């Protein structure tokens, strides 16, 4: 058995979370040379460099939309601790979608629009953590960026209050 030449020598959280929605489910995580299959309709092959993603599927398994980052140099960030990843996705009672994670670059929505994930007060692209709000079609509405913590999970209560659970990044405090 020859080793896989495309293996990077580590595993990433390809699917960080699956989350239910009123009309299907969401998947989020990180990718490297991935094809996102759709049971019906179009599948999506993303840039071979890798990055983060969040996708919406209906109950039949059809891919409805996909947003993603393209990490500029996937191999420059050796290991999960610095790779682009969407760690959590949740839907509120109005159908808005909230995501959180870490991205070192632009994030693209399914309409072709891009959003720079960067702290407004820094030109540092290292370990930029964020939370973003999307509408039900995946269009960006807003984002918050910073450093020093890694958002791990989003929870939304019955009053649509957002609770964000995070991990402290002591190296950046």
């Amino acid at each position: 058995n020859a080793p896989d030449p495309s293996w990077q020598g580590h595993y990433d959280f390809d699917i960080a979370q699956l989350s239910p929605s009123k009309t299907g489910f969401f998947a989020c995580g990180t990718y490297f040379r991935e094809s996102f299959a759709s049971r019906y309709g179009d599948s999506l092959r993303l840039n071979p460099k890798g990055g983060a993603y969040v996708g919406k599927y209906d109950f039949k398994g059809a891919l409805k939309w996909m947003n993603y980052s393209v990490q500029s140099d996937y191999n420059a960030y050796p290991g999960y601790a610095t790779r682009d990843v969407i760690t959590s996705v949740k839907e509120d009672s109005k159908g808005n979608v909230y995501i959180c994670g870490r991205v070192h670059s632009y994030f693209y929505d399914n309409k072709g629009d891009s959003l720079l994930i960067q702290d407004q007060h820094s030109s540092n692209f290292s370990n930029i953590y964020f939370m973003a709000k999307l509408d039900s079609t995946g269009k960006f509405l807003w984002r918050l960026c910073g450093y020093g913590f890694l958002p791990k999970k989003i929870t939304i209560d019955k009053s649509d209050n957002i609770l964000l659970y995070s991990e402290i990044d002591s190296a950046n405090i």
Side-chain angles (χ1 to χ4, degrees):
N1 291 336
D4 180 355
S6 65
W7 188 57
Q8 300 295 301
H10 52 80
Y11 294 100
D12 289 327
F13 295 128
D14 292 340
I15 299 175
Q17 185 180 48
L18 293 173
S19 181
S21 83
K22 296 177 191 87
T23 59
F25 65 94
F26 298 98
C28 66
T30 188
Y31 73 91
F32 182 70
R33 296 185 181 138
E34 301 289 336
S35 289
F36 292 89
S38 181
R39 187 166 181 190
Y40 305 102
D42 296 333
S43 294
L44 180 64
R45 174 97 174 133
L46 290 179
N47 185 307
K49 292 182 181 179
Y53 74 92
V54 59
K56 171 74 185 284
Y57 290 83
D58 69 14
F59 286 117
K60 293 182 179 180
L63 181 62
K64 304 311 279 181
W65 55 261
M66 176 76 64
N67 293 357
Y68 59 92
S69 72
V70 177
Q71 196 151 339
S72 58
D73 185 357
Y74 197 77
N75 293 317
Y77 301 100
Y80 176 74
T82 54
R83 294 267 167 86
D84 288 6
V85 63
I86 304 300
T87 55
S88 189
V89 55
K90 286 292 181 188
E91 181 180 58
D92 70 14
S93 66
K94 298 174 185 83
N96 296 306
V97 180
Y98 297 85
I99 60 175
C100 65
R102 175 184 53 245
V103 173
H104 296 88
S105 59
Y106 285 90
F107 206 69
Y108 300 93
D109 71 15
N110 60 332
K111 309 290 186 211
D113 293 331
S114 64
L115 180 68
L116 178 61
I117 304 296
Q118 181 179 11
D119 180 25
Q120 300 90 310
H121 307 293
S122 170
S123 61
N124 179 9
F125 273 100
S126 177
N127 292 326
I128 300 299
Y129 308 125
F130 77 100
M131 184 175 83
K133 181 179 180 179
L134 315 172
D135 71 11
S136 62
T137 68
K139 180 177 174 36
F140 295 117
L141 298 176
W142 55 255
R143 55 107 169 92
L144 298 170
C145 299
Y147 55 93
F149 66 99
L150 173 59
K152 291 287 199 175
K153 185 177 181 184
I154 295 174
T155 300
I156 300 175
D157 68 15
K158 292 179 182 180
S159 300
D160 282 342
N161 294 307
I162 303 165
L163 304 171
L164 183 64
Y165 301 89
S166 63
E167 174 182 292
I168 301 295
D169 181 358
S170 60
N172 286 314
I173 295 179

